[in-house]
Every structure is written in C-alpha cells, then in structure tokens.
C-alpha cells in the first residue's frame, strides 16, 4: 500500500540522467546517444573553461544567480507536469467511494502507463520539430495547450462522468480515455522539458535540472492529489478550515480543473511569446548546439541493446520482479477507503513521509555504491513481501476499529503511518539498488539511451502486475445472498435480484486476501529461483553489457 504512490502509480515516471553524452567511436563500433541527451559544445575550449571568443581568457562562470529565471521556469514547467498526474491519482480514490468494481479500477489504471512507455515515442519528439520556432517549444507549446483544453473540457463534464445513478455507475471508460490523454500529454511534455533543460541552463548549472525535475513534479503531484483531496473533502474542511460547516468542500473537482486549465493556457502563451529557446550566454554566443539523430537510427539502437543476452535476461527479470508486490501496492489503499478510511486522510498521511523519502536514497546509496548493488535488492525483497501480508492484516483489522462517528482512533493512523514507513524503506532499498546497477552496467557510449531503456522496463514491470491485480480482485471474491432463498450474488444482475427479493449480498471470501497470499507465494518463488539469477548478473564482465554495432 503506497498511500499516494501505489494507488496512483506515480512510480511510473522515469528519469533520465541530466548529463550530456556525446557521440563516441571505437574502431568499428559506433554507438550514439539518444538525441535529447546529446549536446555538442561549440569548441573543445569549453571543456577547459575557456571561451573561443575571449581570445583564450578564462570564461566567467555565470553562477546560479545569473540563471534564476531559467531555473524558475524549469521548476514551474515541472510543477505543471505534476498537476495532471496528481489529479489522475485522486480519481481511483473518488471512484472507490462510488462503489465501482475493481475491474473498472483496473481499466482506469491504464492511465498510469504512458510515463512507463514514453521511450516508444521519445525519438519522434527529438527528431521532428520546427527549427524557427524551437526544437523543444515545437512540442511543449502544443502539448501544454492540449493539456489546458482537456482540463477545461473535463471541468464541464467531470461531474456528469462521475455521477452514480441507480441504473449505472460512473462512466469509467470516458474517464480513462480523457485522463489517459492527460497522462500521455504530460509524458510528452516531460520529454520536451527534459531536453530543453540541458540547453536552457549553462554547462556549469545543468545539474540543477534534475533538482527542478524532482522538486517540481513532487510539488505538482502534491497540489493535484493531496491538496485537492483535502480541499474537496467536506469533512476535512468543516473540521479544520471552517467555522460554519457546509455540505461541500472549499473547491470541487470541476473548479480545480477549470483553474488549472486556465493556468496552462495562459502560462503556455507567455512561454511561447516571451521565452526564446536558443538562449545565449553571457557574451552573446550560443551555449550548446544539439545534434539530431534520425528516428530509425534511435529505434535500431534500442533494438540492438535489447538483443544483448545480458540485457535481455535482466529486462526479463525486471518485468517479473514486482509480481509479488502487486496486491499490496495496487489494492490496499482502495480497500482501506472501502473499509471507511477517509481518502483525504490517506492522502495526508503521505506528507510526513516526504523527509523520509528524501533521506532514504542518501542512506541507502552508501550500501549500493559498491560493485554488487543488487545484493541490497535481493535482501530487501522478502521484507517487502512480508509487509504485503502485514497490509492484508491491517485491512482485515480496520473495520473493527471504526468508531460510531465514522472516524478512527489516532493510534490506528499511527500504525498505518508506521506500516507505510516500513514499506518505503523496503521499496527505496530495491529502487536505489536497481538504479545503481543500471548506472553501473550502462555503456557510457550510449548512456542516455541505455539508462532510459532500463528505467522504462523497470517501471513497466510495476505497472502491468498492478493492473492485473486490480482486475482479478472481483473474480476471486465470493459473495452469498443472505435473506433471500434461492438467490446468489455471482454477477451484478444476480446481486440486483438478491436485493429486490429482500436479501443482502455478503462477502464470504474477499479476493484481496486471496491475492495477497498468492502474490507472496509467487514473490517468494521468484526470490528463491530468479532472484539468485539476478544477483549472478553482477558477475558478468563489463564487456557483456557493451553495445556492439557494425561488427
């Protein structure tokens, strides 16, 4: 159960290293980086800290103060990127309060896939553009306009789409299509902004791009998910923010979407008019010049990497490693909402985790910096599986603690928070170890492409088990009709007949508990047999991971 992350699949995002990678040639091997990671500095003197136009005098480093405007713009663009992701993450919790089926939740979970698949269209974003308008603005501007228009469209229709009448529930199909497009556009915007960051900032300050990325996306996600769910909740607003109680929250989903739709349209117009893409340095010259690799060359490079035996084996293991965690990660938060835990309280419990999420990578990196980072991955694996069982016990225990007023005692939230913290320790141990191994084996000649491919596979390996876990909850659940002889609850139609006959459908076996046990068994089997095989990949020679093209 990730109270904000797992339900929303925020971990679907993939990050690319903000390090320029140039073309390298070694004999008859030719390996190129992906275009959006390429930067060719104008003259080798820049590598030495000199400026060709200054007659050999040392170039004055601009410092971060001289580029606060660019840093602020990047931070703002990443915040905008996080807004639709946070909103998409709040929808499953809202749907759960309207008693939609878990199959509908599984269908909606496809919304979170684009960030795990953006490598498929990233070469197009890098290679196709209008030179006069700007390589990155050619995609950024139309993408953000579409994001704003989609939000304005949703602001008018979302209440209707979420309505649950007696004859039908929320329109999950339309909601999925629209929010999938929002996530797709946000992923495309991410590709453009990542590439623009490398040229918008000077060589000395390009490292701040990753900081803007992390802080901006996290802030945007917080605004679109945690803050929205709190302000939308009438109970939360009446308890903490109002003197006179009302039946609705301070803002509605429709109003929130309208506000951010306008922000997207206005800010994109300002960027299109006022911000020149090919910024110039202190002395009036271009900082960098980007090379464009053809789309087909990039796709051929990706295929050549995947065909390498070591990479193919590693990718296969990455695609299956998270099966054992899928029930805990994807279903637990929804089950807590179903048991009566307010969705805004679950969202707010993620706030105290922010310092822990900042510190954990720093602490864990000390143990993954050596030659065998996957040892940490292997050791954390069974602990994360056990936490999944603990989550199942927590869900089973929750209904018995519900108070008369509908709330829960303070110690219950303390236990939930402690469980979440343990989960974060295990999750980050595996994540940091995996990223460290990616960096260790990635061929430096094609570092950008290599790392992005492995990150994409890692993210996809978490998405498909989560969707499957949501899909299987209902088929694995058994219900019986009590109070109406001869009736059953095997389907929605049969459940309706049971209620008409004066009966009540009661769950005799919850599919979530079945999944929790099955997932742990599958996870333990993976850990025993395939986990050891993953560890042995660390014994491969560096040559086994190097790209060979043209030999």
């Amino acid at each position: 159960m990730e109270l904000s992350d797992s339900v929303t699949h925020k971990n679907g995002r993939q990050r690319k290293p903000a390090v320029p990678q140039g073309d390298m040639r070694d004999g008859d091997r030719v390996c190129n980086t992906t275009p959006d990671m390429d930067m060719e500095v104008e003259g080798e003197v820049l590598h030495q800290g000199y400026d060709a136009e200054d007659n050999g005098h040392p170039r004055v480093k601009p410092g971060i103060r001289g580029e606060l405007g660019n840093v602020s713009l990047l931070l703002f663009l990443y915040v905008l990127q996080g807004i639709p992701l946070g909103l998409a993450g709040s929808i499953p919790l809202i749907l759960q309060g309207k008693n939609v089926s878990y199959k509908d939740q599984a269908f909606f979970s496809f919304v979170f896939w684009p960030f795990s698949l953006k490598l498929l269209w990233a070469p197009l974003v890098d290679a196709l553009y209008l030179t006069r308008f700007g390589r990155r603005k050619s995609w950024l501007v139309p993408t953000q306009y579409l994001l704003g228009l989609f939000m304005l469209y949703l602001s008018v229709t979302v209440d209707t789409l979420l309505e649950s009448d007696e004859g039908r529930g929320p329109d999950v199909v339309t909601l999925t299509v629209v929010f999938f497009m929002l996530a797709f556009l946000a992923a495309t915007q991410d590709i453009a902004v990542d590439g623009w960051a490398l040229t918008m900032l000077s060589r000395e300050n390009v490292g701040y791009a990753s900081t803007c990325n992390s802080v901006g996306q996290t802030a945007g996600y917080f605004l679109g998910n945690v803050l929205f769910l709190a302000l939308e909740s009438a109970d939360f607003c009446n308890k903490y923010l109002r003197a006179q109680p009302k039946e609705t929250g301070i803002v509605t989903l429709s109003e929130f979407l309208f506000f951010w739709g306008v922000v997207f349209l206005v800010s994109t117009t300002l960027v299109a008019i006022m911000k020149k893409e090919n910024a110039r340095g202190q002395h009036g010259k271009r900082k960098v010049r980007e090379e464009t690799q053809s789309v087909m060359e990039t796709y051929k490079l990706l295929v050549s990497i995947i065909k390498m035996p070591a990479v193919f084996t590693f990718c296969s293991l990455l695609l299956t490693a998270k099966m054992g965690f899928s029930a805990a990660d994807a279903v637990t938060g929804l089950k807590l909402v179903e048991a009566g835990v307010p969705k805004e309280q679950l969202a707010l419990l993620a706030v105290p985790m922010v310092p822990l999420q900042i510190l954990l990578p720093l602490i864990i990196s000390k143990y993954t910096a050596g030659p065998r980072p996957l040892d940490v991955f292997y050791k954390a694996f069974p602990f994360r599986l056990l936490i999944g069982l603990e989550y199942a016990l927590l869900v089973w225990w929750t209904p018995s603690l519900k108070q008369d007023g509908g709330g829960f005692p303070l110690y219950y939230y303390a236990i939930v928070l402690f469980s979440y913290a343990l989960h974060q320790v295990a999750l980050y141990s595996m994540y940091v170890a995996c990223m460290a191994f990616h960096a260790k084996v990635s061929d430096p000649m094609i570092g950008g492409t290599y790392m992005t491919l492995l990150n994409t596979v890692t993210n996809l390996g978490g998405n498909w088990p989560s969707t499957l876990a949501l899909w299987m909850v209902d088929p694995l659940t058994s219900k019986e009709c009590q109070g109406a002889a001869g009736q059953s609850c095997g389907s929605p139609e049969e459940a309706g007949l049971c209620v008409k006959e004066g009966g009540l459908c009661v769950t005799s076996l919850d599919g979530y508990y079945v999944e929790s046990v099955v997932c742990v068994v599958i996870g333990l089997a993976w850990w025993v047999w395939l986990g050891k095989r993953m560890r042995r990949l660390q014994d491969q020679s560096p040559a086994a991971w190097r790209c060979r093209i043209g030999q």
Side-chain angles (χ1 to χ4, degrees):
M1 170 195 63
E2 293 193 44
L3 302 181
S4 64
D5 293 356
S6 67
V7 175
T8 63
H9 304 268
K10 184 184 172 187
N11 61 339
R13 295 194 334 247
Q14 67 200 46
R15 296 272 52 83
K16 290 177 284 188
V19 179
Q21 304 277 352
D23 292 347
M24 304 279 292
R25 289 170 174 79
D26 181 11
D28 55 355
R29 177 174 64 181
V30 180
C31 297
N32 300 320
T33 59
T34 50
D36 77 332
M37 299 301 296
D38 273 338
M39 295 201 308
E40 180 183 328
V41 181
E42 293 188 354
E44 292 296 326
V45 289
L46 290 183
H47 291 284
Q48 305 166 10
Y50 285 84
D51 212 316
E53 295 183 13
D54 289 338
N55 300 319
H57 295 291
R59 181 165 55 91
V60 179
K61 293 184 178 181
I64 188 61
R65 291 185 179 180
E67 295 195 276
L68 283 179
N70 287 336
V71 171
S72 300
L73 176 59
L74 281 176
L75 186 63
F76 178 70
L77 292 175
Y78 281 120
V79 169
L80 290 182
Q81 186 184 123
I83 296 295
L85 300 179
L87 284 171
S90 67
I91 297 300
L93 299 177
I94 295 174
L95 291 176
Q96 195 67 12
K98 298 180 179 296
N99 298 317
V100 301
S101 69
Y102 281 92
K103 285 189 176 180
D104 286 335
Q105 292 281 15
F107 188 74
F108 187 83
S109 70
F110 283 106
V111 164
F112 308 109
W113 284 49
F115 266 84
S116 297
L117 299 173
K118 65 180 182 177
L119 185 64
L120 297 178
W121 66 90
L124 297 176
V125 177
D126 288 317
L128 305 177
Y129 57 92
L130 299 174
T131 305
R132 295 186 64 182
F133 190 57
R135 181 176 184 179
R136 307 304 174 184
K137 285 173 63 177
S138 295
W139 288 90
L140 178 74
V141 171
T143 296
Q144 291 198 168
Y145 271 134
L146 287 174
L147 278 165
L149 292 174
F150 267 104
M151 286 186 174
L152 292 180
Y153 165 76
L154 270 175
S155 71
V156 177
T157 61
V158 70
D159 291 336
T160 303
L161 295 176
L162 286 171
E163 282 181 0
S164 182
D165 299 329
E166 292 184 1
R168 63 176 181 83
D171 189 350
V172 177
V173 174
T174 303
L175 282 170
T176 302
V177 171
V178 176
F179 274 95
F180 182 90
M181 286 305 303
L182 282 176
F184 174 81
L185 291 169
T188 305
Q189 190 252 30
D190 182 48
I191 299 169
V193 176
D194 281 353
W196 197 3
L198 298 179
T199 56
M200 186 184 297
L201 300 179
S202 66
R203 187 175 183 83
E204 292 79 8
N205 294 323
V206 73
Y208 287 99
S210 60
T211 303
C212 293
N213 186 313
S214 177
V215 174
Q217 282 188 342
T218 301
Y221 188 89
F222 179 88
L223 292 173
N225 185 269
V226 178
L227 183 64
F228 163 70
L229 288 174
L231 296 180
E232 186 262 351
S233 169
D235 292 337
F236 180 87
C237 294
N238 292 336
K239 186 175 182 180
Y240 298 107
L241 303 178
R242 286 182 177 143
Q244 296 294 329
K246 295 183 180 180
E247 295 182 356
T248 60
I250 293 178
V251 298
T252 64
L253 179 56
S254 177
E255 293 168 346
F256 196 82
L257 284 164
F258 180 81
F259 171 78
W260 284 107
V262 172
V263 171
F264 265 91
L265 295 179
V266 173
S267 61
T268 303
T269 302
L270 293 175
V271 170
I273 296 174
M274 302 179 64
K275 181 62 179 178
K276 302 298 182 182
E277 180 166 337
N278 296 324
R280 296 183 177 274
Q282 276 186 307
H283 302 288
K285 58 206 162 295
R286 288 181 60 184
K287 298 174 185 177
V288 297
R289 184 177 71 249
E290 294 185 279
E291 290 187 351
T292 303
Q293 199 173 8
S294 74
V295 176
M296 291 307 300
E297 285 177 350
T298 304
Y299 284 124
K300 287 178 180 178
L301 180 59
L302 291 172
V303 172
S304 69
I305 296 172
I306 296 173
K307 283 183 176 180
M308 292 188 290
V311 175
F312 183 82
T313 300
F314 186 49
C315 288
S316 300
L317 293 172
L318 290 175
L319 286 173
T320 56
K322 297 179 183 178
M323 291 188 296
F325 317 126
S326 56
D329 288 356
V331 188
T332 303
L334 299 178
K335 278 294 177 182
L336 290 178
V337 173
E338 183 181 319
V341 180
K343 59 183 181 296
E344 65 275 8
Q345 294 293 346
L346 285 180
L348 287 171
L349 285 177
V351 177
M353 290 295 100
V354 173
L356 182 65
Q357 292 169 342
I358 294 173
L359 292 174
L360 277 175
L362 300 176
I363 298 172
I364 297 169
S365 62
K366 297 180 181 179
Y367 302 95
T368 60
R372 301 183 63 84
L374 291 182
D375 287 353
V376 176
F377 181 97
Y378 184 79
K379 292 175 181 177
F381 198 98
F383 290 100
R384 189 171 170 187
L385 290 175
L386 291 177
I387 292 171
L389 287 180
E390 190 266 339
Y391 277 174
L393 290 173
L394 184 64
V395 171
W396 172 79
W397 185 46
T398 297
S400 64
L401 297 178
K402 193 172 183 180
Q403 299 172 336
D404 294 337
F408 291 84
L410 184 61
Y411 70 84
Y412 170 77
Y413 289 112
I415 293 173
V416 173
L417 188 62
F418 180 71
S419 301
Y420 185 31
L422 289 178
H423 181 268
Q424 291 294 291
V425 173
L427 183 150
Y428 271 86
S429 295
M430 296 177 61
Y431 173 78
V432 174
C434 209
M435 293 301 104
F437 187 70
H438 292 178
K440 177 177 179 290
V441 301
S442 293
D443 192 334
M445 295 188 175
I446 48 170
T449 304
Y450 214 128
M451 283 282 287
T452 305
L453 172 63
L454 294 179
N455 291 345
T456 298
V457 174
T458 301
N459 294 327
L460 187 59
N463 278 339
W464 77 262
S466 295
T467 297
L468 182 62
L470 288 166
W471 191 274
M472 292 300 297
V473 171
D474 287 336
L476 293 174
T477 298
S478 297
K479 295 183 178 181
E480 57 184 24
C481 182
Q482 295 182 356
Q487 299 297 327
S488 63
C489 299
S491 66
E493 293 77 15
E494 293 175 342
L497 289 174
C498 172
V499 174
K500 286 183 179 180
E501 294 294 326
L504 180 66
C505 284
V506 177
T507 300
S508 57
L509 179 63
D510 195 323
Y512 166 69
Y513 301 119
V514 177
E515 276 193 5
S516 296
V517 175
V518 171
C519 283
V520 170
V521 171
I522 293 174
L524 285 174
W526 190 97
W527 181 64
V528 171
W529 286 292
L530 297 180
K532 293 179 179 179
R533 187 172 183 181
M534 178 177 275
R535 290 183 74 184
R536 288 197 295 269
L537 287 174
Q538 298 174 116
D539 300 325
Q540 295 269 8
S541 66
W545 303 94
R546 289 175 187 159
C547 174
R548 293 175 176 83
I549 301 177
Q551 288 192 350

